[in-house]
Amino acid sequence: MNWPEIVTGLSRYLPILDWGRRYDRSTLINDLVAAAIVTIMLIPQSLAYAMLAGLPPEIGLYASILPIIAYALFGTSRTLAVGPVAVVSLMTLAAASSVAVPGSAEYIAAALILALLSGLILVVMGVLRLGFLGNLLSHPVVSGFITASGIIIATSQLKSILGIGASGEALPELVTTLVENLGDTNMPTLIIGVTSVIFLFWVRKGLKPLLMSLGLAARPADLIAKAGPIAAVAVSTLAVILFDLEAQGVKVVGTIPQSLPPFTVPLIDPALWSQLAGPALLIAVIGFVESVSVAQTLAAKRRQRIDPDQELIGLGAANVAAAFSGGYPVTGGFARSVVNFDAGAETPAAGAFTAIGILIAALLLTPLLYALPIATLAATIIVAVLSLVDLKTPRQIWRFSRPDFAALMTTIVVTLLAGVEPGVVSGVGLSLALYLWRASRPHAAIVGRVPDTEHFRNVKRHSVITDPKVLTIRIDESLTYLNARWLEEFVLEQVAEHPRVRHLILMCSAVNAVDASALESLEAINHRMVDAGVQLHLSEVKGPVMDALQRSPLLEALGGKVFLSQHQAFDELAERNPD
């Protein structure tokens, strides 16, 4: 094997070997510009999300350095920006606080374990090519979970806006403790928090149109608007310094260590690992689904593609890197990835340059953040997560599918009332139960021929030609143990309702598989039909299904024939048996 072939083979697991060969000056400039913009956006976000996770703010910076570089090496998305995100931060808080007090050394150790476990889970899933398992989280469940999480996160940050204490992982407890402590509201903190929220909302909606009305092009106006949190950070920090607001009870970030990310080794404690394994699995799956959705959306805009299995490895490597560099679980973020895309990033190198920018900030700029109000970071979180609250999807899903609506609302309600993990588990559980229920009762229809065509359609929907001695049932689902018994009952019921029938045709155009239980049911149906003086026929059987049937005794015992097309079957049997 020559060198180019070796490189091509390795690029399957190290995508940098693919895009790195075509890296040029123009790409470098575009990546540097995008990295500068994302770095400015990511600094306050990293601090805010770390505090949301119950961790010291510098851990957010650490989680935005080595993990980004690891993803740049192993990930396949050209524009995905990896780092701390709101939903995963909330899940980290819920999981780690179940085993330790937030902010304690044990709590930080639990966060490192969560990062390592979720990273290892993702890597193993990627190696085993299990990217399809992300499909277990249906869109309604993911949408419901993110909406509920957004509401919980925004509510949890009200304590920082008000300058009071509050606790709880679920909405009832949060609201109760907020109301109980409302009398302790700190007015300077409230002014900073409310002003920051209003400003950040205006920046999102109003700054871009204003800049464009002043003659600025759409793209730079959009990028400036997305960097709005930096202005809120700068102004509120200056206000704290100038008016000595810390002495008036305004809580600030305080001292942030000026240092490189530390080398950390997650605690080896089998009992603790066992406790955190379940939450780590949920963090891994939720993070993967959120990340791959963003990556696929952005890749499609440039007619690129991503490999979900390699994305598992890339995200897994990022989380393992976080575990050994003082971070906590990370994934691809929607907002920063869109900014990275809009800023012109062309390769994952933009992420590596962003990591360098965050590293410089961690070494040189942290003293400037000492007086940064916690209320401003809370405002940043509130504005970011409220954009995740989707009130349109429930109405759309209600009109389209009541079972999916039930899964969505169950996820929302349970997440709000009981917390993150019960919400996800209940949503996935109900989705799977509904899927199994639908699979156990597949759609089937009595069909007839559309006049002057070779097409067969549902007799209840179309005016079609039928023959009283020929009954055709179209089965619109693969036949498995879930629906095998239902098939027997349905066929026997239909034959009983058509006493003149002499030929029963099972139209199998939508049947992609037949398992052993379904085969047994088909054999039972055939015996019943023989006893009733009815011949059982099959039509439009797909090749793989036919291969499986030929390895069984069904075809030899079949009372009728197997027809290539339903048109052929109907013509032959109807002509042979005129009414």
Side-chain angles (χ1 to χ4, degrees), residues 191-530:
I191 292 171
I192 291 173
V194 171
T195 303
S196 297
V197 169
I198 294 173
F199 172 74
L200 290 172
F201 269 119
W202 174 78
V203 162
R204 278 182 169 247
K205 301 293 183 181
L207 183 56
K208 179 180 177 181
L210 176 62
L211 293 174
M212 291 179 64
S213 69
L214 296 176
L216 197 63
R219 182 179 173 186
D222 185 54
L223 295 176
I224 291 174
K226 286 184 168 65
I230 291 295
V233 166
V235 172
S236 61
T237 301
L238 282 174
V240 169
I241 296 172
L242 293 175
F243 299 105
D244 194 20
L245 296 180
E246 186 178 1
Q248 299 179 43
V250 174
K251 294 181 180 179
V252 297
V253 170
T255 302
I256 300 177
Q258 289 179 266
S259 66
L260 294 170
F263 175 72
T264 51
V265 179
L267 180 66
I268 306 299
D269 183 339
L272 186 56
W273 281 44
S274 177
Q275 283 181 275
L276 295 175
L281 176 61
L282 288 178
I283 288 173
V285 175
I286 290 286
F288 169 65
V289 171
E290 180 179 353
S291 178
V292 81
S293 299
V294 176
Q296 287 175 332
T297 299
L298 296 179
K301 292 184 177 182
R302 292 183 179 173
R303 298 191 178 185
Q304 297 169 346
R305 63 176 296 274
I306 67 164
D307 180 350
D309 295 316
Q310 185 61 28
E311 281 297 290
L312 285 166
I313 295 175
L315 291 173
N319 278 280
V320 171
F324 287 96
S325 60
Y328 72 104
V330 298
T331 192
F334 176 77
R336 73 175 68 102
S337 296
V338 171
V339 171
N340 198 36
F341 180 90
D342 290 342
E346 293 190 29
T347 73
F353 297 143
T354 298
I356 294 172
I358 299 293
L359 180 62
I360 293 172
L363 287 173
L364 304 178
L365 302 181
T366 51
L368 301 177
L369 299 173
Y370 176 90
L372 171 60
I374 300 296
T376 302
L377 294 179
T380 302
I381 294 173
I382 289 172
V383 173
V385 300
L386 285 182
S387 66
L388 302 176
V389 177
D390 184 359
L391 300 179
K392 294 181 180 178
T393 295
R395 294 196 298 269
Q396 294 170 348
I397 293 179
W398 168 261
R399 291 194 296 267
F400 180 75
S401 171
R402 301 300 166 82
D404 285 337
F405 178 80
L408 181 145
M409 291 308 299
T410 297
T411 305
I412 290 177
V413 172
V414 175
T415 301
L416 290 177
L417 297 181
V420 172
E421 292 179 26
V424 177
V425 171
S426 62
V428 172
L430 182 57
S431 291
L432 290 175
L434 290 171
Y435 169 77
L436 294 175
W437 181 80
R438 285 193 291 255
S440 68
R441 302 178 62 82
H443 182 267
I446 308 299
V447 299
R449 184 165 61 189
V450 178
D452 302 320
T453 73
E454 296 182 1
H455 300 293
F456 287 77
R457 295 292 184 268
N458 193 332
V459 297
K460 295 181 179 180
R461 292 177 176 268
H462 301 271
S463 177
V464 294
I465 300 171
T466 60
D467 187 304
K469 294 184 180 179
V470 179
L471 177 65
T472 300
I473 299 176
R474 188 190 66 213
I475 305 166
D476 296 332
E477 182 66 73
S478 292
L479 299 178
T480 68
Y481 69 96
L482 292 171
N483 54 38
R485 181 62 60 186
W486 174 90
L487 177 65
E488 286 187 53
E489 295 174 356
F490 180 79
V491 168
L492 295 176
E493 178 184 337
Q494 295 303 317
V495 171
E497 291 179 3
H498 298 78
R500 298 177 62 187
V501 166
R502 292 295 175 265
H503 295 273
L504 170 64
I505 307 172
L506 296 183
M507 185 176 174
C508 302
S509 53
V511 177
N512 296 315
V514 176
D515 71 5
S517 299
L519 175 64
E520 185 176 339
S521 289
L522 288 174
E523 292 173 339
I525 290 170
N526 182 54
H527 291 313
R528 297 278 187 91
M529 293 303 100
V530 170

